[in-house]
Amino acid sequence: MPNFAALTEAPIEFKRNARAALADGQLRRNFRGAMDFLMVKRAAQFADDEECEQLRAFGNRVRARALSRLPALLEQLEARLTRNGVQVHWAESVDEANTIVHSIVAAHEAKNLIKGKSMVSEEMEMNHFLGERGVDCLESDMGEFIVQLRAEKPSHIIMPAIHLNVGQVAALFHDKLEVDYTEDVDLLIQIGRETLRRKFFEADIGVSGVNFAVAETGTLVLVENEGNGRMSTTVPPVHIAVTGIEKVVEKLRDVVPLLSLLTRSATGQPITTYVNMISGPRQADELDGPREVHLVLLDNGRTQAFADSELRQTLNCIRCGACMNHCPVYTRIGGHAYGTVYPGPIGKIMTPHMLGLEKTRELPSASSLCGACGEVCPVKIPIPSLLRRLREEAARRADAAPHHVRGQGANHSTKEGLVWKAWVKMNTSPTLYRLLTYAGTRARGLTPANIGPWTEHHAAPKLAPRTLHERVREHLGEA
Amino acid sequence: MNARERILAKLRGSLEGTTPIADDYDTALVTTPWTYAPAQRVARLRAQLEAVHGETQLTTSAEWPARVFAALAERNIDELLVSPLTLHGQQLAAQLALNKGGLRLKAYDRAVETWKDELFFHTPASLTGTLGGIAATGSLIVWPTVQEPRLMSLVPPLHIALLKASAVFDNLHEAMHTQRWSEGLPTNALLISGPSKTADIQQTLAYGAHGPKELIVLILQDA
């Protein structure tokens, strides 16, 4: 079982997790099939390359514009929501966010929470936090419901149970819900529907995430296919939405390009079944909807990413998951191996800000830098460049200024530092360069045959018998 | 300082000396590829809705109640949730009285808390109006009201929606702009594009996840 970052202090052992995942044939088949399916679906939605490229560039500008005025937009969002009757809370850490949620729960003496899909609530470990305090949180998204029944974490941000096949779900339902074993997906979904339907109206509080928070109108936009998001935000008397501070957009019309990019990139749909725009609690004359709506705005490392104009681009993310669907590493190892709430390429550039580089030191290197993630990102986050940047932050001395990322220097090695210093010295001094290359070529027989991981699969490199300078001179007849 | 002030101060500090990016909204980019000839508009909407298992029927403002009765009879449904306070609710009731049909009409006329169980387990179908449609994505624009609350389009397994052909817009931007959404959204506004669905089990699409299992859109060609 991969170790999970948020619950332990130890660094995530990505390499160990990845090795275990690679040896799991069933897991690899499940992911290969799922990723191929999602890539084909996305490609079909972006049949016109030019439209795709223009829209991605536009999406990038819309997000960059929002971030360029983020503090003002957050204040505007808060003012509009407050005017609409929504209560806005701010949290710097997940502990603060959980405490806020718990205080709302306590004020209502709530015992049962029903949750629409929310990655920020996963980031908060909300179920765990409230569970310890005797409050039951039930996931209502079919995929989340399945992983919760297995006491697992989502392995994908859009399709949480993507690591499982139908046989595994059938066995799970048979075992946990005591229903007859069936591999008929329609029947399995109906079992989930019946089980959860009663839970929706028994719940004291509904919890959801937010896809876009519109500052102009004070509107929380949620997209989904199942209807569980609408149920969770409509049926219980109280609705708590949790979201990161970066999710705000300036105007309602800004949702148009982002919504199109999101649904087409995520699941290859022109639009999701439901686009749910919530601007306030139930009014006095209305007959349904929550009487109280809360929004919790969470920082949890986002202000750190925001502080640097290059790393800030991480916050463009609209959580579509296309980067993981197209990632050759993710496809082979699945989401759990990353040990983080956000797996795959976006997780590797986001999580270091949330947990620090000490715990996530192996993540920025868990990539071949093939560039696929950057090419499909709907808001053009330069993920490979940001991975390279984080590698640099992890390798710099811990005390080097300026200090951008918590855990800077986590991978710093004095030996490696000395090697590079020597390399610089050699390449900036012609005498030393000639001397060392001469010595190296003459002593080529002495180079080691075993140089760690490289020689496990490759022949050991050997210097040429003569230096390039010597050969050029010879070629020009000057020797 | 509290959390709010600290977060805002950090963000402000990071933006010091920068200028906000100007709004260069590219309307053409989100409208031009999604523009249809008037004759194609409804056809596009139908194709998109049917691609996700939505049922559509072309009908008229006089004939649609008969379509409702037929759809319900076909499914052996003898009860319909419909608002008596809307014009379409009244038209349906009048037609039903004329036909002396056996269908029972039920109103959503009290707070959900007082009849949750009945709504969730004993209400097989509902009929609501819409504010319009969107051809590009095959979407219905639904703004729940006091007469037609939020759960009417979500809880009953069959949702029948009335859509005026004249209220079908080409794309979301056009709908939003023409109907001036940014000037005042209701507490809950929705786009509905088909019956509820999920592909969470091995990417196999299944309909009727948590919301309606079936969506029938009656398109009134003369309205």
Side-chain angles (χ1 to χ4, degrees):
Chain A
M1 189 64 195
N3 67 337
F4 205 76
L7 293 175
T8 108
E9 279 310 307
I12 298 159
E13 293 190 59
F14 174 80
K15 286 178 190 162
R16 195 196 67 182
N17 296 345
R19 261 193 293 275
L22 285 171
D24 184 340
Q26 180 67 67
L27 185 86
R28 292 186 63 172
R29 278 188 298 277
N30 292 355
F31 272 98
R32 180 80 262 171
M35 299 301 105
D36 287 346
F37 171 83
L38 288 168
M39 284 193 285
V40 169
K41 292 258 291 173
R42 175 190 174 275
Q45 279 300 320
F46 287 111
D48 179 345
D49 283 344
E50 201 185 326
E51 189 259 346
C52 176
E53 287 315 302
Q54 288 180 353
L55 195 62
R56 288 175 66 227
F58 187 26
N60 174 280
R61 294 203 303 278
V62 170
R63 289 297 302 140
R65 166 157 54 85
L67 294 177
S68 80
R69 51 188 84 201
L70 183 59
L73 292 185
L74 284 167
E75 284 177 321
Q76 188 188 1
L77 175 73
E78 178 185 48
R80 293 280 186 278
L81 283 170
T82 307
R83 188 193 62 190
N84 297 351
V86 176
Q87 299 175 51
V88 181
H89 312 263
W90 302 66
E92 285 187 287
S93 65
V94 295
D95 277 347
E96 275 179 38
N98 278 322
T99 306
I100 291 165
V101 172
H102 186 248
S103 71
I104 300 166
V105 169
H108 291 274
E109 295 177 11
K111 285 278 163 242
N112 298 301
L113 265 63
I114 191 106
K115 291 176 68 196
K117 196 168 149 32
S118 154
M119 289 311 295
V120 169
S121 77
E122 295 284 347
E123 190 182 322
M124 290 161 59
E125 293 284 336
M126 185 194 288
N127 297 3
H128 181 76
F129 185 96
L130 293 178
E132 282 187 332
R133 285 154 186 81
V135 182
D136 191 34
C137 297
L138 184 69
E139 298 289 347
S140 65
D141 172 86
M142 291 291 180
E144 292 270 356
F145 176 64
I146 291 165
V147 296
Q148 191 179 29
L149 278 181
R150 281 175 62 103
E152 280 184 339
K153 297 283 173 188
S155 59
H156 190 281
I157 63 170
I158 302 292
M159 307 193 93
I162 205 159
H163 56 294
L164 303 173
N165 62 20
V166 61
Q168 290 168 299
V169 176
L172 176 75
F173 278 18
H174 175 61
D175 185 35
K176 301 273 178 177
L177 303 178
E178 294 170 358
V179 293
D180 291 339
Y181 183 92
T182 173
E183 291 193 8
D184 181 327
V185 171
D186 281 318
L187 282 178
L188 289 169
I189 292 300
Q190 288 315 303
I191 293 165
R193 176 188 173 102
E194 297 314 320
T195 308
L196 288 164
R197 194 150 254 246
R198 187 158 288 281
K199 302 287 183 186
F200 282 115
F201 82 76
E202 284 171 356
D204 306 307
I205 294 181
V207 174
S208 77
V210 174
N211 291 101
F212 309 108
V214 184
E216 178 185 32
T217 52
T219 302
L220 309 177
V221 183
L222 279 78
V223 305
E224 54 145 347
N225 285 310
E226 294 185 2
N228 68 305
R230 284 184 65 195
M231 287 277 195
S232 302
T233 60
T234 310
V235 182
V238 180
H239 167 210
I240 305 173
V242 292
T243 194
I245 52 171
E246 82 282 16
K247 284 285 174 70
V248 61
V249 296
E250 188 179 2
K251 294 178 180 158
L252 187 63
R253 68 177 189 179
D254 289 335
V255 169
V256 177
L258 295 179
L259 179 65
S260 176
L261 285 164
L262 174 60
T263 64
R264 292 157 82 192
S265 301
T267 48
Q269 293 178 271
I271 194 165
T272 47
T273 305
Y274 301 113
V275 177
N276 183 6
M277 293 168 269
I278 299 167
S279 302
R282 181 195 309 199
Q283 301 300 295
D285 57 348
E286 288 185 294
L287 302 177
D288 60 17
R291 294 183 191 276
E292 244 181 75
V293 179
H294 297 263
L295 174 68
V296 180
L297 292 165
L298 175 65
D299 177 351
N300 192 27
R302 288 164 173 86
T303 48
Q304 175 183 286
F306 190 84
D308 179 277
S309 60
E310 186 185 22
L311 298 171
R312 188 178 303 154
Q313 299 172 90
T314 311
L315 304 176
N316 282 350
C317 180
I318 55 173
R319 304 282 189 265
C320 71
C323 59
M324 47 199 86
N325 300 344
H326 292 75
C327 177
V329 177
Y330 178 92
T331 301
R332 282 163 181 79
I333 61 173
H336 288 153
Y338 295 83
T340 55
V341 168
Y342 303 97
I346 187 64
K348 288 182 285 193
I349 60 168
M350 189 63 229
T351 317
H353 298 292
M354 295 173 171
L355 303 178
L357 277 167
E358 298 97 335
K359 276 176 92 168
T360 57
R361 64 181 64 171
E362 290 184 355
L363 293 186
S365 308
S367 165
S368 63
L369 296 183
C370 77
C373 49
E375 280 178 21
V376 296
C377 177
V379 286
K380 298 192 84 154
I381 302 173
I383 300 176
S385 308
L386 297 180
L387 282 168
R388 203 203 48 75
R389 168 71 190 277
L390 288 170
R391 290 179 185 186
E392 199 176 307
E393 298 297 335
R396 291 169 74 212
R397 288 172 59 102
D399 56 1
H403 196 294
H404 295 287
V405 182
R406 181 153 68 94
Q408 171 181 315
N411 289 339
H412 179 73
S413 142
T414 315
K415 201 163 89 186
E416 196 178 287
L418 285 174
V419 169
W420 285 113
K421 260 194 190 136
W423 186 87
V424 168
K425 192 87 195 145
M426 172 182 144
N427 281 281
T428 50
S429 152
T431 318
L432 202 57
Y433 183 83
R434 273 196 294 273
L435 190 71
L436 287 172
T437 49
Y438 182 82
T441 50
R442 267 48 182 194
R444 62 192 292 260
L446 301 176
T447 51
N450 177 358
I451 47 168
W454 177 266
T455 38
E456 280 174 27
H457 302 287
H458 306 79
K462 237 180 196 346
L463 288 174
R466 279 169 303 151
T467 69
L468 180 65
H469 287 178
E470 287 177 285
R471 295 192 57 180
V472 172
R473 263 188 234 109
E474 187 184 283
H475 179 73
L476 296 174
E478 290 175 14
Chain B
M1 286 212 292
N2 58 26
R4 175 184 187 277
E5 286 158 357
R6 277 192 298 273
I7 290 170
L8 289 171
K10 278 191 211 168
L11 296 175
R12 288 227 154 81
S14 303
L15 287 178
E16 219 163 278
T18 64
T19 36
I21 296 171
D23 187 353
D24 63 344
Y25 199 88
D26 191 345
T27 307
L29 191 57
V30 289
T31 53
T32 310
W34 315 106
T35 302
Y36 310 92
Q40 289 308 308
R41 208 167 284 144
V42 167
R44 164 83 189 189
L45 175 124
R46 295 184 71 189
Q48 290 293 89
L49 262 171
E50 280 163 13
V52 289
H53 281 214
E55 184 181 330
T56 65
Q57 295 185 24
L58 292 177
T59 177
T60 64
S61 47
E63 193 219 1
W64 69 263
R67 300 293 187 103
V68 173
F69 300 141
L72 295 174
E74 213 175 283
R75 291 165 179 79
N76 291 319
I77 295 173
D78 58 4
E79 198 173 48
L80 179 71
L81 186 65
V82 59
S83 170
L85 302 175
T86 56
L87 286 176
H88 51 262
Q90 287 156 9
Q91 187 185 346
L92 189 84
Q95 194 62 48
L96 183 67
L98 216 64
N99 294 0
K100 298 186 177 59
L103 183 67
R104 281 194 309 281
L105 302 183
K106 187 153 76 178
Y108 194 152
D109 53 5
R110 53 206 188 278
V112 63
E113 288 77 14
T114 60
W115 69 297
K116 249 185 196 177
D117 199 77
E118 194 190 335
L119 173 63
F120 271 72
F121 297 101
H122 307 285
T123 303
S126 67
L127 171 82
T128 74
T130 62
L131 215 59
I134 296 169
T137 49
S139 308
L140 302 175
I141 303 165
V142 176
W143 285 17
T145 58
V146 176
Q147 292 78 36
E148 294 183 340
R150 309 179 192 203
L151 292 174
M152 246 177 117
S153 61
L154 182 65
V155 174
L158 169 65
H159 176 209
I160 305 174
L162 299 178
L163 173 63
K164 294 177 179 168
S166 63
V168 177
F169 298 94
D170 280 343
N171 49 67
L172 176 58
H173 187 277
E174 189 198 359
M176 197 179 261
H177 183 75
T178 311
Q179 296 187 336
R180 299 169 177 233
W181 292 10
S182 62
E183 289 172 23
L185 280 168
T187 53
N188 190 206
L190 301 158
L191 299 179
I192 298 177
S193 312
S196 138
K197 64 179 183 289
T198 184
D200 272 356
I201 300 178
Q202 206 181 322
Q203 303 91 55
T204 308
L205 200 52
Y207 287 89
H210 292 296
K213 299 176 183 183
E214 286 184 281
L215 171 69
I216 301 177
V217 181
L218 302 179
I219 301 167
L220 314 184
Q221 289 177 288
D222 58 342

